[in-house]
Amino acid sequence: MIKAAVLGATGYAGAELVRLLVGHPDVEIVYLASHSYAGKKFSDIYPGMRSVVDTVLSEDNIVKAADSADVVFLALPAGIASGSVTDEILKKAKVIDLGADFRLHDKAVYEKWYKTEHRGEGLLPEAVYGLPEIHRSEIAGARLVANPGCYTTCSILTLYPLLKNGLIETGMIVIDAASGVTGAGRGEKVTSLFCEVDETMKAYGVTTHRHTPEIEQELSIAAGFPVLVQFTPHLVPMNRGILSTCYAKLKNGAGEEDVAAAYAMYGGEKFIRIVPSPPETRYVKGSNTVDIGYSIDARTGNIVAMGAIDNLVKGAAGQAVQNMNILFSLDEAAGLDVASASTF
Amino acid sequence: MIKAAVLGATGYAGAELVRLLVGHPDVEIVYLASHSYAGKKFSDIYPGMRSVVDTVLSEDNIVKAADSADVVFLALPAGIASGSVTDEILKKAKVIDLGADFRLHDKAVYEKWYKTEHRGEGLLPEAVYGLPEIHRSEIAGARLVANPGCYTTCSILTLYPLLKNGLIETGMIVIDAASGVTGAGRGEKVTSLFCEVDETMKAYGVTTHRHTPEIEQELSIAAGFPVLVQFTPHLVPMNRGILSTCYAKLKNGAGEEDVAAAYAMYGGEKFIRIVPSPPETRYVKGSNTVDIGYSIDARTGNIVAMGAIDNLVKGAAGQAVQNMNILFSLDEAAGLDVASASTF
Amino acid sequence: MIKAAVLGATGYAGAELVRLLVGHPDVEIVYLASHSYAGKKFSDIYPGMRSVVDTVLSEDNIVKAADSADVVFLALPAGIASGSVTDEILKKAKVIDLGADFRLHDKAVYEKWYKTEHRGEGLLPEAVYGLPEIHRSEIAGARLVANPGCYTTCSILTLYPLLKNGLIETGMIVIDAASGVTGAGRGEKVTSLFCEVDETMKAYGVTTHRHTPEIEQELSIAAGFPVLVQFTPHLVPMNRGILSTCYAKLKNGAGEEDVAAAYAMYGGEKFIRIVPSPPETRYVKGSNTVDIGYSIDARTGNIVAMGAIDNLVKGAAGQAVQNMNILFSLDEAAGLDVASASTF
Amino acid sequence: MIKAAVLGATGYAGAELVRLLVGHPDVEIVYLASHSYAGKKFSDIYPGMRSVVDTVLSEDNIVKAADSADVVFLALPAGIASGSVTDEILKKAKVIDLGADFRLHDKAVYEKWYKTEHRGEGLLPEAVYGLPEIHRSEIAGARLVANPGCYTTCSILTLYPLLKNGLIETGMIVIDAASGVTGAGRGEKVTSLFCEVDETMKAYGVTTHRHTPEIEQELSIAAGFPVLVQFTPHLVPMNRGILSTCYAKLKNGAGEEDVAAAYAMYGGEKFIRIVPSPPETRYVKGSNTVDIGYSIDARTGNIVAMGAIDNLVKGAAGQAVQNMNILFSLDEAAGLDVASASTF
């Protein structure tokens, strides 16, 4: 049994991770911590887990976590992990960071977009961007995995094959995305109140959202040269789900067959389905699956490529488990669902 | 592996059953049928199941189902099962009927409330009411299990200990219940349209709902004499969940300790949790769990007892799997979750 | 033009009041105040009101409000109004208090249920309970109107005719009610976050909710003797709306005709509709209307009476405007809608 | 008083129109018709209107409507109006068609996108596209007004100033839009059921949606040359609201000031607000207002312009009333709200 520790266990991503780890056949949770609720039972905060996870929560302490566990999951606000993960920690346990601190390879880019100091620059070179479908082999040997963001996972996987195969113009790539409200976290903010979110839709972070450089980093790798994207997230009145609708001009000569061939790179992936109609977030809810569909518009010469994930699963906790499975040479799908846990 | 057949697989309860059976370690689905969508793939109707259940749906045919399976699940409209289940079928396979046809022991009561003829009177004596926490031993030896209704499961389990122990007056028992919209089924009705249900709440079937006699049948058994209830269901804008808020006058002398002792009858049950605060439907969503809580009001002398279930799991498909597990001497919890599949 | 002041203008009830007053033909808002957002524009907090109410918010100051206005509306947390309304204030302006401080005639009852000191006992005798359909003539001459609560308005109006006419037993009266989330206010609480409320239902304040004594006060007046009720509120995932489902045993001999005759007392009321099917909250959304329906159950001898209102309109701001109309001898329906503002 | 007739009064747009006309100070409804519900009361179908509109519905009959009314509103499925509006009808009454039949000036374009024959070609030259902010003067003298679609109203008004002033490249204009479910109508379709729409999001009609040519027609007029757009609608779990997020490359040299100057064309418009933060659909709910906001991205050289409307008001019934007001020389805002009818 792999011994796992979770810091930040009572945020939405952390709690989803607990749910998945509890159901994982090869994992035992040995350390469960929460800054806000230390001293309370996990099931006091998430009563759905009563009689299943009644563990009393510890204070977030990465040293204690690393002492007791084989793998430490961090589900913490931006800026904390960069100051607390050290070489010493990594000698004791693998670290999978669900936050943003080790995702961007360039410290300056991080500090520009996150407007906070990065205190762990020394570890940036070895941190691996934990998107298994793209970086599987590097993940396998890593000590520190930077688990990708939700919008980014969805958007990168949707566009990657097109850029990797040089099928689209890069002068104007639009990613218009939408998220359920769990993406905003469990903080006590007026903007997250039911009555402020229900029955309405809005864009936010227009031209400034922090997931932009992360998407650009990976798509630039795919393209082989720097690529910019116009990324706009929206908030939608639902708990879970991310939908990315991506637009680009197809290169002259690129057609249906080229596009199909490009997406065939995902043929062996357990968690990616290329679907014939536009993907829908409910069809991946609770699962670690990415549904991707696309349409080529002969009138305009554009391609519209769409991806859907559950932001808390493939966009956070599920992908973290997938990364753990890779790190420990388990079946990559252990403890994860392909089918939507909820059929509606 | 137990071979299972599902008739009515594309209704909401049927589809949930398919989801659960697919994840069950000891079951293989050998026959999947749908009157409305025969000839299509199951995953065309429920695309969340793409790559998991791509089986082409057969026409509903109970004979073929019984020929190929060890257990046949029926998720059909009222009145069909009573005309198609026969002794011959039952000699070939166990039948678990998710519909209402074999729940009421008295044909006349059935016909009065359902306003349709019962065509299988001969099987009524042997049909077992499939509420495991009350009738476990009879279920174990049954050929034909009548899986309880959703409101009924929740309401009976909430009130049963109070009546069994003679703690409440029976002159006025009120069950005020609410359901998510999956309870209304997948039929194309104006009243089930999103814009007719969203952002509103209403009672329906006031004084006339068909689950009334089913609740009364079981509570009368508990009490040892005929008991009537005032049952009012409501529709709430959510997909899943049933909440029953039940009211009765405590008998003189009955107090907190008596009530606690009565509910202790559920102490060994895997799927019942007695909770200290009012139960909430999200905490049982996706699981087979019943959460029950209660308050005694010293001012009024009443007890308010509340139960919460997922109408599609403990209220339908999950309970059907639980019954199957009992029928085939498996672990009663095999393939079922205690923790809520969705923490929020 | 009547000059109006609103204190607590940025809470949900306060903001709804602003919306109604802006559309009122005979009213001019002269003072708009908010403790939390003083110094900001009202339309910064409620951008739907941009270009309509761009007034900068003042600090809540009842003296300044009374100096400048003919009527002062208070939409403040419990305990503040009782300490700030004085005879001096009332000499300058009429006061309509949307809070609870002056609703209960008995100081001790208030302090028991609200667990806070009442600091304005001297004004309790003259405060009028502002339920126009019951106390219209007293309201007309009042200086201080205690605007009823949301659950209470709905529940009292639904049950009043039955008690007034002695048609029901009073040994066990059950009021099972449900509210949209605006009823929980705009405070930054985890329990009001979208993801904690969406797709779930629960009871709260079981046996202890503060609206209980308010309902009992008015129903006791109706009955002519002290009446207790078993009141249980529930939270439902929708913005607005209250539904009260009320249960009582009909007295021997009381029947359909007696009940119809009792409800006929509302025949001349503009804002009460007796409806033939169970009322639904969406049909009164945005309007000041109460829809009331009932069913008599011959099997059990009970009556099930149901009422629906918009908690922010008839349950708060609309009723406050109705009271203002009465105080100033305007058409009682001025500035108020009978039809639902939203057809769905 | 202007005498109004409504055909198709029980669809969502028709019913919203009835709601607005009932509150209009200068209008009397003289003819109310519904194909599906002829013979029933309007308030049987929309019980929120009980005691307000209890009119018995007639069969849809445009001749009778034109005989009795000054203005006939048509809220009918595509293809019906083109065959029933005639010169004879137009001699008797003004016609405002909320459907698509007279919006596209080119019959061939209509037939290509709508895949149905256009039977009223003779009237196409005189039909005026009823977007008041663009075509006010032509509307004033028209006999037949083609009321714009919902997505189109929102998208055209958002992009028009940019194209009119030549500020954006036209090689790739992306309109990524989302709608509440009322946009799908009141038809009994599985895809509109609550449980199929709640808690999920999807794109639909990708590259093929019928509002595309309507947007292109008007934006081409603005630009002075043919313009294509990439339009993708999405379905969002809410009743009302449309949000259009539009993307284009700014021309070299075009900057913040030019864009602000372009949008200043709406300075005198009562129903357009240029807002400093991203618009949100709830802030225009129930009102006839369009909120428009934009961001220029210096990194990418793109502009992101966003518009929000209520699809049933400015996107249908409200705009129809606005057109009627122009036709009959009333105050253009009569009977319409600027502020959101619902503050949340």
Side-chain angles (χ1 to χ4, degrees):
Chain A
M1 296 295 273
I2 294 162
K3 291 176 181 165
V6 180
L7 275 66
T10 56
Y12 288 144
E16 184 74 359
L17 182 58
V18 171
R19 173 177 85 82
L20 293 174
L21 293 176
V22 162
H24 196 295
D26 307 311
V27 173
E28 176 192 5
I29 300 179
V30 296
Y31 189 86
L32 213 51
S34 160
H35 177 64
S36 308
Y37 297 105
K40 296 203 169 180
K41 288 183 192 172
F42 181 79
S43 57
D44 288 341
I45 315 307
Y46 289 95
M49 289 291 184
R50 270 178 190 144
S51 82
V52 181
V53 185
D54 292 324
T55 317
V56 174
L57 293 156
S58 308
E59 261 296 343
D60 285 336
N61 184 322
I62 195 171
V63 177
K64 288 189 188 171
D67 283 342
S68 58
D70 302 312
V71 59
V72 177
F73 293 95
L74 306 178
L76 305 168
I80 296 181
S82 80
S84 55
V85 180
T86 60
D87 183 63
E88 204 177 357
I89 298 289
L90 295 175
K91 281 178 178 151
K92 295 193 233 170
K94 306 270 190 185
V95 171
I96 299 175
D97 180 17
L98 280 77
D101 286 11
F102 295 102
R103 292 178 195 156
L104 297 171
H105 304 328
D106 186 332
K107 185 191 183 220
V109 173
Y110 176 88
E111 294 184 342
K112 176 187 161 198
W113 288 84
Y114 284 84
K115 306 197 186 308
T116 187
E117 190 195 352
H118 195 289
R119 298 177 288 157
E121 190 177 6
L123 292 172
L124 283 179
E126 80 162 291
V128 172
Y129 190 74
L131 195 52
E133 290 78 7
I134 311 291
H135 298 293
R136 185 170 284 118
S137 60
E138 299 138 84
I139 295 165
R143 296 195 302 171
L144 172 56
V145 175
N147 211 57
C150 51
Y151 283 122
T152 54
T153 294
C154 191
S155 304
I156 293 165
L157 291 175
T158 302
L159 284 170
Y160 192 93
L162 301 176
L163 283 156
K164 183 76 182 171
N165 292 278
L167 298 178
I168 54 174
E169 304 287 352
T170 55
M172 183 171 162
I173 296 175
V174 171
I175 301 173
D176 189 290
S179 174
V181 188
T182 46
R186 203 167 181 261
E188 299 171 342
K189 295 175 291 187
V190 166
T191 51
S192 297
L193 294 179
F194 182 85
C195 302
E196 306 289 321
V197 172
D198 185 43
E199 294 293 306
T200 191
M201 187 179 174
K202 65 171 177 186
Y204 63 99
V206 183
T207 78
T208 63
H209 194 278
R210 294 165 168 189
H211 283 180
T212 307
E214 193 178 328
I215 299 171
E216 291 177 346
Q217 170 180 288
E218 296 300 309
L219 294 186
S220 296
I221 293 171
F225 56 84
V227 167
L228 298 184
V229 300
Q230 192 68 50
F231 170 64
T232 309
H234 295 76
L235 193 66
V236 170
M238 58 187 189
N239 277 326
R240 292 166 175 245
I242 282 195
L243 188 71
S244 290
T245 305
C246 308
Y247 303 85
K249 182 112 351 218
L250 273 182
K251 280 195 184 157
N252 269 340
E256 189 74 42
E257 281 179 34
D258 307 289
V259 171
Y263 281 108
M265 73 174 273
Y266 293 141
E269 293 296 341
K270 275 195 178 165
F271 294 119
I272 299 187
R273 300 186 294 204
I274 307 300
V275 298
S277 48
E280 194 166 334
T281 62
R282 64 177 167 148
Y283 295 139
V284 295
K285 192 159 69 172
S287 84
N288 199 49
T289 296
V290 190
D291 275 355
I292 298 174
Y294 58 85
S295 292
I296 294 172
D297 191 338
R299 286 176 69 247
T300 60
N302 298 324
I303 182 167
V304 185
M306 295 152 282
I309 64 167
D310 183 323
N311 56 308
L312 291 176
V313 187
K314 183 63 177 173
Q319 187 144 267
V321 170
Q322 188 180 0
N323 279 318
M324 179 196 70
N325 289 342
I326 295 172
L327 287 175
F328 293 89
S329 304
L330 304 172
D331 174 0
E332 195 171 316
L336 296 169
D337 280 315
V338 172
S340 174
S342 172
T343 37
F344 23 82
Chain B
M1 297 295 274
I2 294 161
K3 292 176 181 165
V6 180
L7 274 66
T10 56
Y12 289 143
E16 184 74 359
L17 183 58
V18 171
R19 173 177 85 82
L20 293 174
L21 293 176
V22 162
H24 196 294
D26 308 311
V27 172
E28 176 191 6
I29 301 179
V30 296
Y31 189 87
L32 213 51
S34 161
H35 177 64
S36 308
Y37 297 105
K40 297 205 169 180
K41 288 183 192 172
F42 181 79
S43 57
D44 288 342
I45 314 307
Y46 289 94
M49 288 290 185
R50 272 180 189 142
S51 82
V52 181
V53 184
D54 293 323
T55 317
V56 174
L57 293 155
S58 307
E59 261 296 344
D60 284 337
N61 184 321
I62 195 171
V63 177
K64 289 190 186 169
D67 283 342
S68 57
D70 302 313
V71 59
V72 177
F73 293 95
L74 306 178
L76 305 168
I80 296 182
S82 80
S84 56
V85 180
T86 61
D87 183 65
E88 204 177 358
I89 297 288
L90 294 175
K91 281 178 178 154
K92 295 194 234 170
K94 305 271 189 184
V95 170
I96 299 175
D97 180 17
L98 281 77
D101 286 12
F102 295 102
R103 292 178 194 158
L104 297 171
H105 304 327
D106 185 332
K107 185 191 183 221
V109 174
Y110 176 89
E111 295 185 340
K112 176 187 162 199
W113 288 84
Y114 285 83
K115 306 199 186 305
T116 186
E117 190 195 353
H118 195 289
R119 297 177 291 156
E121 191 177 6
L123 292 172
L124 283 179
E126 80 161 291
V128 173
Y129 189 73
L131 195 52
E133 290 78 7
I134 309 293
H135 298 293
R136 185 170 284 118
S137 60
E138 299 137 85
I139 294 166
R143 296 195 303 171
L144 171 57
V145 175
N147 211 58
C150 49
Y151 283 122
T152 54
T153 293
C154 191
S155 304
I156 294 166
L157 291 175
T158 301
L159 284 170
Y160 192 93
L162 301 176
L163 284 155
K164 183 76 181 171
N165 292 278
L167 298 178
I168 55 175
E169 303 288 352
T170 55
M172 183 172 163
I173 296 175
V174 171
I175 302 173
D176 189 290
S179 174
V181 188
T182 47
R186 205 168 180 260
E188 300 171 342
K189 295 175 290 188
V190 166
T191 51
S192 297
L193 295 179
F194 182 85
C195 301
E196 306 289 321
V197 172
D198 186 42
E199 294 293 305
T200 192
M201 187 179 175
K202 66 172 177 186
Y204 64 99
V206 183
T207 77
T208 62
H209 194 277
R210 293 164 169 189
H211 283 181
T212 306
E214 193 179 328
I215 298 170
E216 292 177 345
Q217 169 180 291
E218 296 300 310
L219 293 186
S220 296
I221 293 171
F225 56 85
V227 166
L228 297 185
V229 300
Q230 192 68 50
F231 170 64
T232 310
H234 295 76
L235 193 66
V236 170
M238 58 186 188
N239 278 326
R240 290 164 175 247
I242 282 194
L243 188 71
S244 289
T245 305
C246 308
Y247 303 84
K249 183 118 343 225
L250 273 182
K251 280 195 184 159
N252 270 340
E256 189 72 43
E257 281 179 35
D258 307 289
V259 172
Y263 281 107
M265 73 175 272
Y266 293 141
E269 293 296 341
K270 276 194 178 165
F271 294 119
I272 299 187
R273 300 186 294 204
I274 306 300
V275 297
S277 49
E280 194 166 333
T281 62
R282 63 177 167 148
Y283 295 140
V284 296
K285 193 159 67 171
S287 83
N288 199 50
T289 296
V290 190
D291 275 355
I292 297 175
Y294 58 85
S295 292
I296 294 172
D297 192 339
R299 288 176 69 246
T300 60
N302 297 325
I303 182 167
V304 185
M306 297 153 281
I309 63 166
D310 183 324
N311 57 307
L312 291 176
V313 187
K314 184 63 178 174
Q319 188 145 267
V321 169
Q322 186 181 1
N323 280 318
M324 178 196 73
N325 289 341
I326 295 172
L327 287 176
F328 292 90
S329 304
L330 304 173
D331 173 2
E332 195 171 317
L336 294 169
D337 282 315
V338 172
S340 174
S342 171
T343 36
F344 23 81
Chain C
M1 297 293 274
I2 294 161
K3 292 175 182 166
V6 180
L7 274 67
T10 55
Y12 289 143
E16 184 74 358
L17 182 59
V18 172
R19 174 176 85 81
L20 292 174
L21 293 177
V22 162
H24 195 295
D26 307 313
V27 172
E28 177 192 4
I29 300 180
V30 296
Y31 189 86
L32 212 52
S34 161
H35 177 64
S36 308
Y37 297 105
K40 297 203 169 181
K41 289 184 193 171
F42 181 80
S43 57
D44 288 342
I45 315 306
Y46 288 95
M49 287 292 184
R50 272 179 190 142
S51 82
V52 181
V53 184
D54 292 323
T55 316
V56 173
L57 292 156
S58 307
E59 261 296 344
D60 285 338
N61 184 322
I62 195 170
V63 176
K64 289 191 187 170
D67 283 342
S68 58
D70 303 312
V71 58
V72 177
F73 293 95
L74 305 179
L76 304 168
I80 295 181
S82 79
S84 55
V85 180
T86 61
D87 184 64
E88 204 178 357
I89 298 288
L90 294 175
K91 280 178 179 154
K92 295 194 233 170
K94 305 272 190 183
V95 170
I96 299 175
D97 180 17
L98 281 76
D101 286 11
F102 295 102
R103 292 177 194 158
L104 297 171
H105 303 328
D106 185 331
K107 186 191 182 219
V109 173
Y110 175 88
E111 295 185 341
K112 175 186 162 197
W113 289 83
Y114 284 84
K115 307 198 186 306
T116 187
E117 190 196 353
H118 195 289
R119 297 177 290 157
E121 190 177 7
L123 292 172
L124 282 179
E126 81 163 290
V128 173
Y129 190 73
L131 195 52
E133 289 77 7
I134 310 292
H135 298 292
R136 184 170 285 119
S137 59
E138 300 136 84
I139 295 165
R143 296 196 301 171
L144 172 56
V145 175
N147 211 58
C150 49
Y151 283 122
T152 54
T153 294
C154 191
S155 303
I156 294 165
L157 291 175
T158 302
L159 283 170
Y160 193 93
L162 300 176
L163 284 156
K164 184 75 182 173
N165 292 276
L167 299 178
I168 55 175
E169 303 287 351
T170 55
M172 183 171 163
I173 296 175
V174 171
I175 301 174
D176 189 290
S179 173
V181 188
T182 47
R186 204 169 182 258
E188 300 173 341
K189 295 175 291 185
V190 166
T191 51
S192 296
L193 294 179
F194 182 85
C195 300
E196 306 290 320
V197 172
D198 185 43
E199 294 291 308
T200 192
M201 186 178 176
K202 66 172 178 186
Y204 64 98
V206 183
T207 77
T208 63
H209 194 278
R210 293 165 169 190
H211 283 180
T212 307
E214 193 179 328
I215 298 170
E216 291 176 346
Q217 170 179 288
E218 296 300 309
L219 294 186
S220 296
I221 294 172
F225 56 86
V227 167
L228 298 184
V229 300
Q230 192 68 50
F231 170 63
T232 309
H234 295 76
L235 193 66
V236 170
M238 58 186 188
N239 278 326
R240 290 164 176 247
I242 283 195
L243 188 72
S244 289
T245 305
C246 308
Y247 303 85
K249 182 112 353 217
L250 272 182
K251 280 196 184 156
N252 270 339
E256 189 73 43
E257 280 179 36
D258 306 289
V259 171
Y263 282 107
M265 72 174 272
Y266 294 140
E269 294 296 340
K270 275 195 179 166
F271 294 118
I272 298 186
R273 301 186 293 205
I274 307 300
V275 298
S277 48
E280 194 167 332
T281 62
R282 63 176 166 149
Y283 294 140
V284 295
K285 192 159 68 171
S287 83
N288 199 50
T289 296
V290 190
D291 275 356
I292 297 174
Y294 58 85
S295 291
I296 294 171
D297 191 338
R299 287 176 68 247
T300 60
N302 299 324
I303 182 167
V304 185
M306 295 152 284
I309 63 167
D310 183 323
N311 57 307
L312 291 176
V313 187
K314 183 63 176 173
Q319 188 144 267
V321 169
Q322 187 180 0
N323 280 317
M324 179 196 72
N325 289 341
I326 295 172
L327 286 175
F328 293 89
S329 304
L330 304 173
D331 174 1
E332 195 171 318
L336 295 169
D337 281 314
V338 172
S340 174
S342 171
T343 37
F344 24 82
Chain D
M1 295 296 272
I2 294 160
K3 291 176 182 166
V6 181
L7 275 66
T10 56
Y12 288 144
E16 183 74 359
L17 183 59
V18 171
R19 173 176 85 82
L20 292 174
L21 293 176
V22 162
H24 195 295
D26 308 311
V27 172
E28 177 192 5
I29 301 179
V30 296
Y31 188 88
L32 212 52
S34 161
H35 178 63
S36 308
Y37 297 105
K40 297 203 170 181
K41 288 183 193 172
F42 181 79
S43 56
D44 288 343
I45 315 306
Y46 289 95
M49 289 290 185
R50 273 180 188 139
S51 83
V52 181
V53 184
D54 292 324
T55 317
V56 174
L57 293 156
S58 307
E59 261 296 343
D60 286 336
N61 184 321
I62 195 171
V63 176
K64 289 191 187 170
D67 283 342
S68 57
D70 302 311
V71 58
V72 177
F73 293 95
L74 307 178
L76 305 169
I80 296 181
S82 81
S84 56
V85 181
T86 61
D87 183 65
E88 204 176 357
I89 297 288
L90 294 175
K91 282 179 178 152
K92 295 194 233 170
K94 305 271 189 184
V95 170
I96 298 175
D97 180 17
L98 281 77
D101 286 12
F102 295 102
R103 292 178 195 157
L104 297 171
H105 304 327
D106 185 332
K107 184 191 184 219
V109 173
Y110 175 89
E111 295 185 341
K112 176 186 161 198
W113 288 83
Y114 284 83
K115 305 194 187 309
T116 186
E117 190 195 353
H118 195 289
R119 297 178 290 157
E121 190 176 7
L123 292 172
L124 282 179
E126 79 161 292
V128 173
Y129 190 73
L131 194 53
E133 290 77 7
I134 310 292
H135 298 293
R136 185 170 284 118
S137 60
E138 299 136 85
I139 295 164
R143 297 195 302 171
L144 172 56
V145 175
N147 210 58
C150 50
Y151 283 122
T152 54
T153 294
C154 191
S155 304
I156 294 166
L157 291 174
T158 301
L159 283 170
Y160 192 92
L162 301 176
L163 284 155
K164 184 75 183 172
N165 293 277
L167 298 178
I168 54 175
E169 304 287 352
T170 54
M172 183 171 163
I173 296 174
V174 171
I175 301 173
D176 189 290
S179 173
V181 187
T182 46
R186 204 168 181 259
E188 300 172 342
K189 294 175 293 186
V190 166
T191 52
S192 297
L193 294 179
F194 182 86
C195 301
E196 306 289 320
V197 171
D198 185 42
E199 294 292 306
T200 193
M201 186 180 176
K202 65 172 177 186
Y204 64 99
V206 183
T207 77
T208 62
H209 194 278
R210 294 165 169 189
H211 283 181
T212 307
E214 194 178 326
I215 298 170
E216 291 177 345
Q217 170 179 287
E218 296 300 310
L219 294 186
S220 297
I221 293 171
F225 56 86
V227 166
L228 298 185
V229 299
Q230 192 68 48
F231 169 64
T232 310
H234 296 76
L235 193 66
V236 169
M238 58 187 188
N239 277 326
R240 291 165 175 245
I242 283 194
L243 188 72
S244 290
T245 305
C246 308
Y247 302 85
K249 182 112 352 220
L250 272 183
K251 280 196 185 158
N252 270 339
E256 189 73 43
E257 281 179 35
D258 307 288
V259 171
Y263 281 107
M265 73 174 272
Y266 293 142
E269 293 295 341
K270 275 194 179 167
F271 294 119
I272 299 187
R273 301 187 293 204
I274 306 300
V275 297
S277 49
E280 193 165 334
T281 62
R282 63 175 167 151
Y283 295 140
V284 296
K285 192 158 68 171
S287 84
N288 200 49
T289 296
V290 189
D291 275 355
I292 298 175
Y294 58 85
S295 292
I296 294 172
D297 191 339
R299 288 175 68 245
T300 60
N302 298 325
I303 183 167
V304 185
M306 295 151 283
I309 63 167
D310 183 323
N311 57 307
L312 290 176
V313 187
K314 184 62 178 174
Q319 188 145 267
V321 169
Q322 187 180 1
N323 279 319
M324 179 196 72
N325 288 341
I326 296 172
L327 286 175
F328 292 89
S329 305
L330 304 173
D331 174 1
E332 195 171 316
L336 295 169
D337 282 315
V338 172
S340 174
S342 171
T343 36
F344 27 82

